[in-house]
């Protein structure tokens, strides 16, 4: 049995998606024969309960300089990070010359507010094109993967950090021991390492199996993060559930003994225990729902096609890579997908090769049905696309089950 990347325990597989492409590698029509595939399977560690993948994709392959994802593409996410930054400015980042380090800053969606407040900061991210946007906005960035050596270099050059923050990044890093060693070396005394990622409890509850793709190497729970922090010399001192991205959790960690844990940590540990989140039945049910949701989705799309209905995809999300490739949805069922990211347009989706077109193409030629791959941004998108509904258009969703609204 494979060994846990965190603790060396035995990892029990609960789902195998087979051969899958790199979710953010959108090939041009000329690059179709050069795609990289890997085996996407997930399991849960019998010892520390960390849910994880078995095969690691090389980090340069997942996060090249031209990585196309842009965090600022959603207004809800822009508000979320502005609020988060203001919260930290009012709490942790007061006082005498605090230093803020952000791991995976992307286009500076969070860094912008910190920079504007005049706080010393540094964003660390390997995605050069995305960080270029942050830099053009005046933020300080370093194009690099965050690991122990990077953290030590930053500390030597700029001094210790009061707050290391990271959103939707730490769960992407298989060699997470090195990240914690880096945080340990870089933080000042009493400083905190805060990260937020998709929450395992929401994923299994809503059967949002599309949250499983190459970048989400780990699916965190409070219990697994609690154990992981302890193993790496840290302590989980606070947790906060977030509604973004279909359900996420913000974990606050500090070096062991430096801060007193809040009641929320114990409450969430108890909640997860009561739900049996670490137990086999949860994963058995989840696996069965993945299969039935996928079957129902392909059946619906096949039926609509037979009836001569037109279905267009909305949002060429990383998540959709798992849906279309595992369920076998190609351009025959969904002729194109619209997306607001210029870096994805004119390319095709990885593996499934569905053409990606600009968002404006949606209103230019409304289909009868839109398959909402960006369901985590449903409220924002449906508010923007009211005209589609007004003209009789319908949304297809597949989380938590296949339904049409
Ligand atoms: P995400 O779920 O990983 O944040 O990706 C969302 C994708 O959907 C991203 O490629 C941008 C795209 N998108 C749109 O096309 N229109 C929108 O209104 C929003 C919010 C996102
Ligand atoms: Zn483990």
């Amino acid at each position: 049995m494979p060994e846990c990347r965190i603790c060396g325990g035995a990892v029990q597989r609960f789902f195998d998606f087979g051969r899958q492409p790199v979710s953010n590698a959108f090939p041009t029509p000329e690059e179709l024969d050069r795609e990289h595939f890997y085996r996407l399977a997930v399991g849960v560690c019998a010892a520390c309960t960390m849910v994880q993948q078995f095969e690691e994709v090389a980090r340069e392959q997942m996060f090249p300089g031209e990585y196309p994802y842009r965090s600022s593409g959603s207004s809800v996410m822009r508000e979320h990070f502005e609020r988060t930054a203001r919260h930290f400015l009012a709490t942790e980042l007061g006082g005498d010359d605090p230093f803020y380090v952000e791991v995976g800053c992307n286009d500076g969606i969070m860094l912008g507010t910190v920079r504007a407040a005049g706080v010393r900061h540094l964003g660390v991210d390997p995605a050069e094109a995305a960080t270029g946007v942050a830099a053009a906005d005046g933020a300080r960035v370093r194009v690099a993967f965050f690991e122990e050596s990077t953290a030590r270099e930053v500390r030597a050059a700029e001094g210790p950090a009061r707050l290391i923050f990271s959103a939707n990044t730490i769960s992407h890093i298989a060699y997470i021991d090195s990240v914690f060693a880096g945080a340990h070396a870089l933080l000042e005394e009493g400083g905190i390492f805060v990260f937020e990622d998709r929450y395992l409890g929401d994923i299994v509850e809503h059967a949002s199996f599309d949250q499983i793709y190459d970048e989400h190497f780990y699916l965190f729970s409070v219990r697994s993060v609690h154990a992981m922090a302890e193993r790496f010399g840290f302590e989980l001192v606070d947790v906060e559930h977030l509604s973004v991205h279909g359900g996420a959790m913000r974990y606050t960690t500090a070096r062991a003994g430096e801060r007193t844990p809040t009641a929320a940590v114990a409450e969430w540990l108890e909640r997860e225990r009561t739900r049996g989140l670490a137990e086999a039945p949860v994963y058995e049910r989840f696996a069965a729902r993945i299969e039935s949701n996928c079957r129902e989705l392909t059946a619906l799309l096949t039926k609509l096609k037979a009836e001569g209905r037109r279905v267009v995809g909305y949002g060429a999300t990383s998540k959709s890579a798992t849906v279309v490739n595992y369920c076998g949805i190609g351009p025959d069922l969904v002729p194109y997908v619209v997306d607001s990211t210029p870096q994805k347009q004119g390319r095709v989706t990885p593996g499934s090769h569905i053409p990606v077109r600009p968002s404006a193409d949606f209103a230019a030629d409304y289909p009868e049905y839109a398959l909402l791959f960006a369901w985590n941004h449903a409220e924002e998108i449906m508010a923007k696309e009211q005209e589609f509904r007004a003209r009789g258009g319908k949304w297809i969703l597949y989380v938590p089950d296949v339904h049409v609204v």
Side-chain angles (χ1 to χ4, degrees):
M1 206 172 281
E3 280 181 12
C4 172
R5 284 297 299 255
I6 307 294
C7 79
V11 182
Q12 182 73 47
R13 189 172 71 194
F14 63 83
F15 206 86
D16 188 347
F17 291 92
R19 232 170 71 95
Q20 292 289 329
V22 175
S23 65
N24 263 300
F26 288 79
T28 61
E30 297 75 45
E31 293 166 341
L32 298 186
D33 54 350
R34 269 173 279 157
E35 282 187 285
H36 178 78
F37 289 84
Y38 76 108
R39 177 90 173 267
L40 174 61
V42 276
V44 55
C45 174
C48 76
T49 78
M50 182 63 83
V51 172
Q52 57 199 279
Q53 296 183 22
F54 295 93
E55 191 178 321
E56 200 181 321
V57 177
R59 62 187 189 175
E60 292 78 10
Q61 220 143 19
M62 284 194 286
F63 308 110
E66 66 275 14
Y67 182 65
Y69 185 72
R70 296 292 181 272
S71 304
S72 294
S74 150
S75 63
V76 170
M77 293 311 296
R78 289 198 296 274
E79 282 159 28
H80 169 76
F81 286 116
E82 189 181 333
R83 208 167 38 241
T84 303
R86 295 212 178 287
H87 161 74
F88 285 130
L89 287 168
T91 53
E92 304 296 330
L93 297 174
D96 190 24
D97 191 29
F99 180 36
Y100 168 79
V101 174
E102 186 172 330
V103 180
C105 62
N106 198 276
D107 58 9
I109 189 170
M110 169 105 174
L111 222 44
T113 308
V114 177
R115 179 199 58 78
V119 167
R120 205 153 57 84
H121 62 273
L122 181 70
V124 183
D125 193 315
E128 191 167 7
T131 59
V133 178
D137 195 34
R140 288 187 63 242
V141 293
R142 177 179 170 138
V143 179
F145 288 95
F146 186 90
E147 57 194 328
E148 185 175 357
S149 57
T150 333
R152 289 191 182 280
E153 284 165 25
V154 171
R155 169 143 193 164
E158 319 210 14
R162 184 162 309 162
L163 168 64
I164 302 173
F165 177 76
S166 183
N168 308 310
T169 301
I170 300 303
S171 67
H172 300 184
I173 308 174
Y175 48 95
I176 208 163
D177 49 337
S178 176
V179 171
F180 271 93
H184 206 282
L186 178 55
L187 282 179
E188 64 179 42
E189 201 183 331
I192 49 174
F193 174 29
V194 181
F195 49 97
E196 57 184 66
D197 285 274
R198 312 298 200 275
Y199 177 52
L200 175 69
D202 290 302
I203 294 172
V204 298
E205 184 178 335
H206 309 303
S208 42
F209 66 96
D210 55 345
Q211 297 285 14
I212 303 170
Y213 55 90
D214 56 348
E215 294 177 10
H216 292 173
F217 188 83
Y218 297 107
L219 300 179
F220 293 156
S221 68
V222 175
R223 178 160 167 195
S224 64
V225 169
H226 183 265
M228 172 171 73
E230 196 173 285
R231 170 165 287 268
F232 299 139
F234 277 75
E235 193 172 3
L236 182 60
V237 296
D238 196 18
V239 287
E240 184 188 351
H241 187 259
L242 310 166
S243 61
V244 294
H245 285 311
M249 192 71 82
R250 181 175 295 157
Y251 304 94
T252 302
T253 67
R255 283 198 208 87
E258 291 189 2
R259 294 218 183 179
T260 310
T262 63
V265 177
E267 282 161 21
W268 273 95
L269 285 171
E270 178 56 21
R271 195 168 302 172
E272 289 184 355
R273 202 187 61 75
T274 313
R275 285 180 61 184
L277 193 56
E279 317 290 333
V282 165
Y283 299 101
E284 286 160 15
R285 266 199 307 275
F286 182 36
R289 285 176 76 190
I290 297 175
E291 281 175 347
S292 63
N293 280 14
C294 194
R295 237 184 351 255
E296 282 171 34
L297 180 60
T298 355
L300 174 63
L301 295 174
T302 308
K303 176 175 146 289
L304 291 173
K305 188 188 175 184
E307 291 170 354
R309 311 278 184 206
R310 212 157 59 84
V311 183
V312 161
Y314 201 109
T317 59
S318 351
K319 292 185 291 298
S320 68
T322 299
V323 179
V324 295
N325 287 290
Y326 180 68
C327 307
I329 298 165
D332 54 326
L333 294 177
V334 178
Y336 60 91
V337 46
V338 294
D339 193 283
S340 58
T341 318
Q343 289 77 7
K344 294 180 182 177
Q345 297 160 3
R347 295 172 172 255
V348 298
T349 58
S352 49
H353 302 165
I354 301 175
V356 183
R357 296 214 204 151
S359 302
D361 284 21
F362 189 62
D365 186 16
Y366 282 129
E368 288 154 289
Y369 291 85
L371 177 52
L372 188 54
F373 289 124
W375 55 266
N376 47 318
H377 303 295
E379 223 172 294
E380 177 176 348
I381 290 171
M382 288 184 186
K384 191 159 51 183
E385 302 289 0
Q386 286 180 29
E387 183 63 16
F388 168 59
R389 282 295 295 278
R391 294 188 183 210
K394 292 194 164 67
W395 294 101
I396 301 174
L397 288 116
Y398 49 84
V399 167
D401 48 25
V402 177
H403 60 288
V404 176
V405 294

